[in-house]
Amino acid sequence: MKFTIQLASVFTVVASIANAVPVVERDAGITDPQVLNYALTLEHLEAAFYKEGLAKFSAADFKAAGYPDWTYGRLGQIYDHEAAHVKFLTTALQAAGAQAVEACMYKFPISDIKSFVSLAATLESVGSTAYTGGAAFITNKDYLTAAASILTVEGRHTAWINSAILHAAAWDTAFQTPLGLNPVYTLAAQFITSCPDGNAASLPTLKAYPALAIEGKPGSTGKLTFSAQNDGPLFVAFVSGISAPVFQPIQKGNKVAIPADLRGYVFAFVTSSNGTLDDASTVAGPAILDVVFDSRGHVA
């Protein structure tokens, strides 16, 4: 009896956590091939990013910039992984009789090696959140297993870049943040200049939210920059892990109190609701707040 009660308590906690998972709205009309093409769109972007950066900078450039000798080679291995993901997803879609999306045209803000490494960390983190959130849309167990296999590798890329190269924490919190299709597409769209005309027909309906930028640290008053207009009061939803979003009212001058306990990659949304974060309530975002913390958990 005691075991049964304890097990029931565990299920209650898990259920409450599942209900708190933010910004992942399941649409029954989305098909598995569409979800795979959504993943392929992101893999095309990542592969193109690494290909461009590794062609622009040499191993000698990395060494001259103060990075260890092995940095260029390891980043080359990550490029190989992303290219393998592109090939795998393309082959899987074609085998299922579906049209695979092609690569788009991109513009990455890579001015030097530091900006390349920083953006690599961001893209890998977004990739991990995309696969975590995208799992809710997959019905075929074989596809779900394949996506999980890619997810773990993306997570390792994130951990390696953050710890080995940037000398920061290899993780954010105890749980990976799951983001839905539109929030991830919003983050990816800023690097996409154009796509083949046929791609849209193979993807779920996607929309990019208006841009948002946030400046500040946890425990301080942050400054927001966004152009979207909305009648009525606005709030910022801070999303981290699988806990429910933390909502803070936007103050005069587009300022907001940033919660003091945030760590790692945090996603911020401007929303018209003080308790709900979904497509209908999102006004702008997400913006990424990268909260670097040391081994004692203190913000750097």
Side-chain angles (χ1 to χ4, degrees):
M1 178 66 70
K2 183 178 180 181
F3 174 78
T4 302
I5 293 174
Q6 290 176 338
L7 190 60
S9 298
V10 170
F11 285 143
T12 300
V13 172
V14 171
S16 65
I17 291 175
N19 290 332
V21 172
V23 228
V24 178
E25 300 178 73
R26 179 152 190 168
D27 185 340
I30 296 178
T31 66
D32 283 347
Q34 287 177 321
V35 178
L36 292 187
N37 268 312
Y38 162 78
L40 179 56
T41 298
L42 301 177
E43 295 294 349
H44 274 309
L45 186 151
E46 288 184 301
F49 165 75
Y50 284 107
K51 184 177 182 179
E52 178 179 325
L54 293 172
K56 187 172 186 177
F57 306 112
S58 67
D61 292 330
F62 274 85
K63 186 175 181 179
Y67 292 90
D69 291 342
W70 39 258
T71 304
Y72 185 86
R74 290 295 192 195
L75 290 171
Q77 291 173 354
I78 292 179
Y79 164 69
D80 291 340
H81 294 168
E82 306 299 0
H85 295 164
V86 168
K87 183 177 180 180
F88 172 81
L89 291 170
T90 299
T91 302
L93 284 161
Q94 292 172 343
Q99 180 69 37
V101 295
E102 299 177 6
C104 300
M105 299 296 293
Y106 311 98
K107 185 176 182 180
F108 301 108
I110 305 172
S111 57
D112 52 24
I113 291 178
K114 183 178 180 180
S115 62
F116 172 62
V117 171
S118 177
L119 186 52
T122 298
L123 291 180
E124 294 295 346
S125 292
V126 171
S128 296
T129 67
Y131 275 98
T132 305
F137 300 92
I138 300 176
T139 58
N140 184 294
K141 292 183 178 180
D142 291 335
Y143 291 162
L144 187 59
T145 298
S149 179
I150 294 175
L151 167 61
T152 60
V153 174
E154 298 289 349
R156 288 171 184 168
H157 293 166
T158 304
W160 179 79
I161 293 172
N162 283 330
S163 60
I165 300 183
L166 298 178
H167 305 295
W171 48 79
D172 298 324
T173 69
F175 299 95
Q176 176 66 55
T177 303
L179 288 184
L181 305 186
N182 287 330
V184 171
Y185 178 68
T186 299
L187 292 170
Q190 62 185 302
F191 307 114
I192 299 174
T193 58
S194 66
C195 290
D197 292 337
N199 280 10
S202 299
L203 291 164
T205 300
L206 299 170
K207 68 176 181 180
Y209 304 130
L212 170 67
I214 182 170
E215 298 178 18
K217 291 186 176 182
S220 71
T221 298
K223 173 67 175 178
L224 303 168
T225 302
F226 63 98
S227 58
Q229 300 295 319
N230 190 80
D231 295 330
L234 294 176
F235 308 84
V236 175
F238 293 94
V239 180
S240 177
I242 58 174
S243 299
V246 177
F247 292 84
Q248 296 280 39
I250 295 180
Q251 305 164 12
K252 185 178 180 179
N254 284 345
K255 296 181 179 180
V256 65
I258 302 176
D261 59 349
L262 300 177
R263 297 294 184 272
Y265 274 83
V266 180
F267 300 90
F269 296 77
V270 172
T271 173
S272 59
S273 171
N274 192 22
T276 300
L277 179 57
D278 55 20
D279 282 336
S281 64
T282 298
V283 175
I288 297 176
L289 188 62
D290 184 11
V291 183
V292 179
F293 58 98
D294 62 23
S295 60
R296 294 170 296 173
H298 298 163
V299 175

